[in-house]
Amino acid sequence: MVDYLIVGLGLAGISFCEVLETNEKSFKVITDSSQTSSVVAGGLYNPVTLKRFTLAWNANEQLDLAIPFYNALEKKLNIQLDYKIPILRRFSSINEQNLWFEASDKPNLSRFIAPKILPNDNPNIDAPNGYGEVLHTGRIDTSVLVSHYKRYLESQSLILQESFDFEALKLQDGYLEYRGLKVKKIVFATGFGIKTNPYFNYLPLNGTKGELLTIKAPALKEERVIKSSVFIIPLGDDLYRVGATYKWKDKSNTPTEECKQELLQKLDTFLKCNYEVIDHVAGIRPTVSDRKPLVGRHPEHKNMFLLNGLGSRGVMIAPMASKQLFNFIENNTALEPEMDLSRFTKKHFKN
């Protein structure tokens, strides 16, 4: 009898695996790598919503858990994941500068917003109004994390690489059985894959398609993240990630020419040097109608759980949400109401 079966191995699944290992719980993972949002993500951790200069939901708690979490993974897997990079918000007007100063005076934002304007010192970027700097920011290399963590689980014989077959899941008295494997509890962490989950597809997870480009720009020589109408994220070796788009109708992982042109048009409004597009990727973010995660227990099946809906801030949210879910299951600690999926229980019983 295994304590947990985890379905899915993106940021949510990896974070929950780590909580289980820390607490000496046995587990197995099933993944088919069909959901790519964790792999293609920009991977930024940023506590400030840069459109409105407000603090992201639970940013303090999330950041305080996330940084030690990824640092521990670096040591465990012997890789670098956490790249400390300042994020600069390009100002389009004097009014935006004034709004930035107002935000920096707010007690909950003073930790994260530098109270000064940085002049632009890069001739290849058009930023006459300068920048605001967000503090305590960086980038997690999510693609490297997922690939190395998968290898780690393989070395421990803890992973099955296959599509989950819901018809093979048998609900027994006090436990679950899946193709001969007996488990006490199952946690689904499949991102947008929830749409094919007959137990949780009543939840309002809409999914937002995001597309990103990788460009090579030898003249740019920028080591900070620049946020304007799009992000420019330095990757090293004159490579930069540019993104992202937000599309609600297309639910495929296929990059489109339309989104490529949208990103390039926005990039060209402030980037002044030549560049070459060398990669174009897409993924479906698991976004929820109220923009909060979906975490908790199924309304009827008491040993079936969900860890999902992390949206575009999965790097920051995943460690916190995983810890809360574990404490909810094992210690009967209440989940934060804002992310407890019980807020949508009525939808389940309407179906």
Side-chain angles (χ1 to χ4, degrees):
M1 182 81 72
V2 176
D3 291 324
Y4 286 85
L5 178 62
I6 302 168
V7 185
L9 194 68
L11 288 168
I14 290 171
S15 298
F16 199 71
C17 286
E18 283 297 287
V19 175
L20 294 179
E21 280 211 341
T22 299
N23 289 277
E24 300 181 341
K25 297 293 182 180
S26 59
F27 65 91
K28 293 274 188 179
V29 176
I30 294 178
T31 180
D32 61 4
S33 303
S34 63
Q35 300 305 313
T36 62
S37 62
S38 290
V39 176
V40 306
L44 294 179
Y45 54 89
N46 164 30
V48 180
T49 303
L50 290 175
K51 190 172 183 179
R52 301 177 184 85
F53 307 155
T54 55
L55 192 65
W57 173 70
N58 267 5
N60 279 291
E61 180 187 354
Q62 290 169 17
L63 207 56
D64 290 345
L65 285 171
I67 302 307
F69 171 79
Y70 293 112
N71 292 165
L73 274 173
E74 288 180 317
K75 293 176 182 174
K76 176 176 183 169
L77 303 175
N78 196 28
I79 53 175
Q80 183 173 2
L81 297 170
D82 186 4
Y83 295 83
K84 304 294 186 186
I85 306 174
I87 296 180
L88 303 186
R89 170 59 153 80
R90 175 182 175 268
F91 295 128
S92 61
S93 64
I94 299 299
N95 183 53
E96 281 196 340
Q97 291 182 348
N98 293 333
L99 292 173
W100 183 265
F101 282 126
E102 288 178 18
S104 69
D105 282 338
K106 296 177 180 177
N108 66 334
L109 280 167
S110 58
R111 174 187 175 190
F112 301 115
I113 288 186
K116 60 181 179 180
I117 304 299
L118 293 181
N120 177 41
D121 57 5
N122 191 328
N124 292 301
I125 297 176
D126 179 41
N129 295 302
Y131 306 102
E133 182 180 1
V134 187
L135 308 174
H136 307 293
T137 59
R139 177 177 71 89
I140 300 299
D141 194 327
T142 54
S143 178
V144 166
L145 171 58
V146 172
S147 63
H148 279 74
Y149 204 85
K150 193 176 293 180
R151 271 182 240 160
Y152 167 74
L153 292 179
E154 288 170 354
S155 73
Q156 306 290 312
S157 300
L158 294 175
I159 187 168
L160 301 171
Q161 302 222 32
E162 60 184 55
S163 295
F164 189 83
D165 180 3
F166 285 96
E167 291 187 3
L169 182 64
K170 307 302 180 187
L171 310 184
Q172 308 292 5
D173 186 17
Y175 68 98
L176 302 150
E177 190 169 345
Y178 182 80
R179 293 181 174 170
L181 177 67
K182 295 180 179 180
V183 299
K184 295 177 183 176
K185 303 173 183 72
I186 188 168
V187 175
F188 291 102
T190 55
F192 188 65
I194 193 179
K195 290 300 185 182
T196 62
N197 186 323
Y199 298 101
F200 289 105
N201 59 7
Y202 69 91
L203 292 165
L205 188 140
N206 306 318
T208 310
K209 183 174 183 178
E211 300 194 29
L212 300 102
L213 304 175
T214 301
I215 64 170
K216 190 174 184 71
L220 182 52
K221 304 303 179 195
E222 183 57 66
E223 296 181 352
R224 303 160 299 184
V225 174
I226 306 296
K227 171 65 172 82
S228 184
S229 48
V230 289
F231 276 102
I232 298 180
I233 305 171
L235 304 176
D237 298 323
D238 297 323
L239 299 175
Y240 301 85
R241 185 68 59 87
V242 176
T245 57
Y246 287 80
K247 301 296 178 184
W248 288 267
K249 291 183 179 179
D250 181 2
K251 305 300 186 184
S252 74
N253 289 323
T254 306
T256 63
E257 184 63 25
E258 177 190 357
C259 284
K260 178 181 177 181
Q261 293 306 316
E262 177 185 331
L263 290 170
L264 293 178
Q265 287 172 11
K266 290 179 177 179
L267 180 64
D268 289 344
T269 61
F270 65 99
L271 185 63
K272 296 161 67 176
C273 63
N274 293 329
Y275 59 86
E276 174 189 3
V277 177
I278 64 169
D279 196 19
H280 182 191
V281 295
I284 310 297
R285 307 176 189 88
T287 51
V288 185
S289 57
D290 63 3
R291 300 186 179 185
K292 297 296 188 297
L294 295 170
V295 182
R297 178 184 278 115
H298 189 274
E300 294 182 88
H301 306 299
K302 301 308 178 185
N303 48 3
M304 190 177 288
F305 301 87
L306 191 70
L307 181 58
N308 209 322
L310 307 188
S312 60
R313 292 184 177 270
V315 162
M316 286 179 59
I317 294 175
M320 179 206 72
S322 297
K323 183 178 179 181
Q324 283 211 22
L325 178 59
F326 180 83
N327 286 330
F328 170 73
I329 298 170
E330 297 290 340
N331 304 319
N332 205 28
T333 304
L335 291 163
E336 289 197 32
E338 289 170 296
M339 70 177 184
D340 190 335
L341 61 80
S342 66
R343 66 192 188 273
F344 296 116
T345 295
K346 287 181 181 178
K347 289 182 179 291
H348 168 70
F349 289 108
K350 279 182 182 177
N351 289 353

